[in-house]
Amino acid sequence: MNAVILFLTSFPPLETRRRFAGVGWLLTLIGGVLMLGAPYLPWAYSSDALDDMTYLGGPSGLQFFFLGIAVLVVASAIAGRLTGQMGTPNPPARAPLNLVGAASGAALGGLIYIALALIMIAADGGGLVYVEWGGWIALAGALVAYLGTRLLPPGPVPTLGRSRTPGWLGILAVIFLVGVALLVAAYLLDENDAGSFVVSAALVLAVLLVIMRSGLGSWLGAVGRTHRHVLVFAAFVAAFAFPFTQDGSDANMSIATQVLIFAATALGLNIVVGQAGLLDLGYIAFLGAGAFTAAVLSNSAFSTIGWHPPFPVVVLISAVVAGTLGLVVGTPTLRVAGDYLAIVTLAFGEIFRLVMINLDGSDGPNITRGSNGIPGIPDLNLFGFDFGQSHEILGVTITRFGNYFFLLLLVLALIILVFSRLSDSRIGRGWVAIREDEKAAEAMGVNTFGLKLLAFAGGAALAGVAGAVKAHVDVSVTPDQYIFLESAFLLAAVVLGGMGTIVGVLVGATLLKLMPEKLRFVSEYRLLIFGLLLVIMMRFRPEGLIPSSRRQLEFHESDEELAEHLDAELTGGPPDSGEPAGAPARRSAGEETR
């Protein structure tokens, strides 16, 4: 089994790939042709599996998606042969797009897609006997194409990302990309069948693999950086337009609001972990502090304090309480580091939960009503706008959760603004210096303790803001909502998405919050699947899904093949200076880190 995994995940030596370049191209093409024909064959014995894949000559919607992946494989293989990138032992060093990468991304995406589709068919039917012969042909074609790409020499360095793009074209590309992302998000969230959701998500993964491996992703990244303000504005416009795509679905908007709360909290943790490099395993306590503060100060009949200030004041108080709690906890504990800091923060998270249980009027003052918590928290009413009522906007019904979705977008925008400003300031550079080497930073005059304490308190305050809104969204607040497992998921969102980045953390938080909601049929195995995904990510992409360039270079500094590509990109061709492979790339990584 280990040998099979190693064969599927590692490239043969470069000389071997050059010797069998023609065979690799032929296998890629043959596999792609098999993939083209497979959607017209029956994949499932029962019509109940996925979206009825029982017809011969009549592809279903999900089979058409697989057909699109097959077209990408065949088109990349043919275009690669015509341009000399595929089938030759010495492909060109540079080209606008890396067609070898496009073919390998499409083949890998197709293999994942068909494997998940067959698993879902077997799960719906009760066994692999429900998989028809067309499904096995599709799997064989994807496997042949994937193995063919493994025999191909590495493709050229894509130059499209470094080319000059007209401003109008870049703006149109940004708007188109954001619009597609909105439609994909609306489609996935509206997909109620778990199997169809999983397979559709695999299609998105396949497209992303093609984009990233072909070099188109670098071009989109360059365009996004050039038109950053347009990208941010378009992203928030798309986010505000999202409720209008749900046709008044309260269930979908409930999931969306929880995703935003989770993402806003994860961004606060990103300051502590991603920027300052402090491992916090009890961060959920700060979210709970903000939520309990808002609940106690609300107009709930179960509120234990008679003062009920306006909600903007409650938000400020929640942030101050959570931030103060961060200072109280951080002042004595931040003098330790590493595993000891992780143990202390883990203990703090459990202490917070137990204290909230004990504040029941029996073991302590009656503030939180103990394990019963504070239920019946009323909906917000800001400036005459009742968040608990549905509203008609532009002919579309916006439900209660839709109202809170808009409010949470504003909160998220505030947190993103604070995070980005801090990251670009001297404080942010000091955090990065502490994360890279605390002793060196202290020797250079950086106030390491003060900056670490600021990161701890600032991240806690942002979590408190999110918690204040969460209390009204959830209607009730109880101590058992804030357990260690929630802290672990928040930390996983930061690590999986990409520490120190904004988009990466948002993507990681969305995936970790959305997947459990859509995969309730495997709820018993959720932690097992989550653990496997963590292992796979740490093995193949430890820098995260959308990492910063600095961390990506750090994690892959010893990857000789990647170093050769970086050398070619930095020097304009293959390294020929007599230095070891990857030396210019490593110097660049060091300069960027400094």
Side-chain angles (χ1 to χ4, degrees):
M1 185 63 182
N2 292 335
V4 173
I5 296 176
L6 182 62
F7 177 72
L8 292 176
T9 57
S10 60
F11 285 100
L14 182 58
E15 291 301 323
T16 302
R17 283 183 283 163
R18 286 175 175 170
R19 186 181 306 117
F20 293 99
V23 177
W25 174 81
L26 185 60
L27 289 176
T28 303
L29 184 62
I30 292 175
V33 171
L34 289 175
M35 293 171 65
L36 281 176
Y40 295 92
L41 306 176
W43 287 10
Y45 177 78
S46 173
S47 60
D48 295 333
L50 296 180
D51 59 345
D52 193 0
M53 300 178 172
T54 59
Y55 289 101
L56 176 65
S60 67
L62 294 178
Q63 286 176 308
F64 264 119
F65 290 161
F66 185 77
L67 181 63
I69 299 175
V71 169
L72 289 176
V73 173
V74 174
S76 300
I78 295 175
R81 184 69 173 186
L82 294 177
T83 57
Q85 295 188 28
M86 299 174 65
T88 59
N90 295 302
R94 302 167 67 85
L97 288 176
N98 184 349
L99 297 177
V100 176
S104 65
L108 178 58
L111 183 60
I112 297 174
Y113 184 96
I114 185 59
L116 291 175
L118 297 187
I119 291 173
M120 292 298 109
I121 292 173
D124 290 341
L128 290 175
V129 294
Y130 283 84
V131 178
E132 285 284 1
W133 54 282
W136 297 116
I137 291 178
L139 179 62
L143 184 59
V144 169
Y146 175 70
L147 294 179
T149 59
R150 309 299 285 185
L151 292 175
L152 293 172
V157 176
T159 59
L160 183 62
R162 303 176 63 185
S163 61
R164 185 180 300 274
T165 303
W168 63 270
L169 180 59
I171 293 175
L172 288 179
V174 168
I175 295 174
F176 176 77
L177 182 65
V178 173
V180 170
L182 173 63
L183 295 178
V184 169
Y187 174 80
L188 291 177
L189 193 59
D190 200 44
E191 188 59 69
N192 295 321
D193 182 71
S196 298
F197 172 81
V198 170
V199 179
S200 300
L203 172 68
V204 176
L205 175 62
V207 174
L208 291 177
L209 286 173
V210 173
I211 291 175
M212 299 308 297
R213 294 191 175 190
S214 65
L216 189 59
S218 61
W219 177 74
L220 291 175
V223 169
R225 289 189 296 269
T226 303
H227 304 283
R228 181 179 179 182
H229 297 293
V230 176
L231 177 60
V232 172
F233 178 75
F236 273 98
V237 169
F240 275 100
F242 178 77
F244 296 96
T245 66
Q246 296 305 306
D247 195 24
S249 174
D250 216 21
N252 288 347
M253 292 311 304
S254 173
I255 297 174
T257 54
Q258 294 300 326
V259 168
L260 287 186
I261 293 173
F262 193 73
T265 311
L267 276 175
L269 180 60
N270 197 23
I271 292 179
V272 181
V273 177
Q275 292 293 104
L278 306 173
L279 183 56
D280 189 344
L281 297 180
Y283 187 77
I284 194 66
F286 301 124
L287 180 69
F292 270 106
T293 302
V296 167
L297 297 178
S298 69
N299 288 314
S300 171
F302 301 93
S303 175
T304 56
I305 294 180
W307 183 43
H308 309 295
F311 181 69
V313 177
V314 172
V315 171
L316 292 177
I317 295 176
S318 299
V320 170
V321 169
T324 303
L325 191 60
L327 287 174
V328 171
V329 174
T331 300
T333 61
L334 288 178
R335 299 187 185 279
V336 299
D339 298 337
Y340 301 99
L341 177 62
I343 293 173
V344 171
T345 55
L346 172 62
F348 163 68
E350 287 300 301
I351 290 172
F352 171 82
R353 183 177 62 85
L354 295 175
V355 169
M356 294 300 102
I357 293 176
N358 290 330
L359 296 180
D360 58 353
S362 176
D363 298 320
N366 187 18
I367 298 178
T368 65
R369 299 183 69 249
S371 59
N372 294 322
I374 302 178
I377 301 174
D379 288 304
L380 293 174
N381 193 316
L382 296 178
F383 310 109
F385 185 86
D386 189 353
F387 282 76
Q389 300 295 325
S390 298
H391 298 84
E392 292 286 336
I393 302 178
L394 300 177
V396 179
T397 301
I398 304 299
T399 62
R400 172 181 180 272
F401 289 106
N403 298 329
Y404 282 108
F405 181 86
F406 290 132
L407 176 62
L408 284 166
L409 278 180
L410 296 178
V411 172
L412 187 63
L414 173 64
I415 293 176
I416 290 175
L417 179 63
V418 171
F419 180 87
S420 59
R421 292 300 184 186
L422 286 175
S423 299
D424 296 336
S425 66
R426 294 180 60 188
I427 295 175
R429 291 193 293 273
W431 284 337
V432 172
I434 294 172
R435 185 191 71 198
E436 298 300 328
D437 193 328
E438 183 176 349
K439 295 298 182 182
E442 188 174 7
M444 295 299 294
V446 176
N447 183 1
T448 57
F449 180 77
L451 286 180
K452 288 195 297 183
L453 194 61
L454 178 60
F456 218 72
L462 295 180
V465 172
V469 183
K470 177 178 172 60
H472 291 273
V473 174
D474 294 344
V475 182
S476 66
V477 178
T478 57
D480 59 2
Q481 292 176 307
Y482 306 99
I483 58 178
F484 165 70
L485 188 60
E486 295 298 324
S487 292
F489 272 98
L490 284 170
L491 181 61
V494 175
V495 175
L496 291 180
M499 290 192 293
T501 65
I502 295 176
V503 178
V505 173
L506 293 178
V507 171
T510 301
L511 291 176
L512 288 183
K513 200 65 178 179
L514 180 61
M515 288 300 180
E517 295 291 339
K518 289 298 184 178
L519 302 179
R520 291 185 178 273
F521 73 102
V522 290
S523 58
E524 297 180 357
Y525 307 99
R526 184 178 68 170
L527 292 180
L528 174 63
I529 296 173
F530 175 65
L532 290 175
L533 289 177
L534 279 179
V535 172
I536 292 173
M537 280 295 300
M538 294 304 100
R539 168 60 181 84
F540 297 105
R541 199 171 178 84
E543 70 272 22
L545 294 174
I546 307 178
S548 64
S549 57
R550 177 186 290 114
R551 295 192 66 84
Q552 191 171 21
L553 288 170
E554 290 171 1
F555 275 106
H556 294 282
E557 186 178 357
S558 60
D559 190 331
E560 295 298 333
E561 184 172 318
L562 178 61
E564 289 181 3
H565 279 268
L566 291 173
D567 288 340
E569 186 172 356
L570 291 170
T571 61
D576 56 359
S577 61
E579 293 181 307
R586 294 186 180 109
R587 284 202 307 271
S588 176
E591 291 169 2
E592 184 178 356
T593 302
R594 288 193 293 272

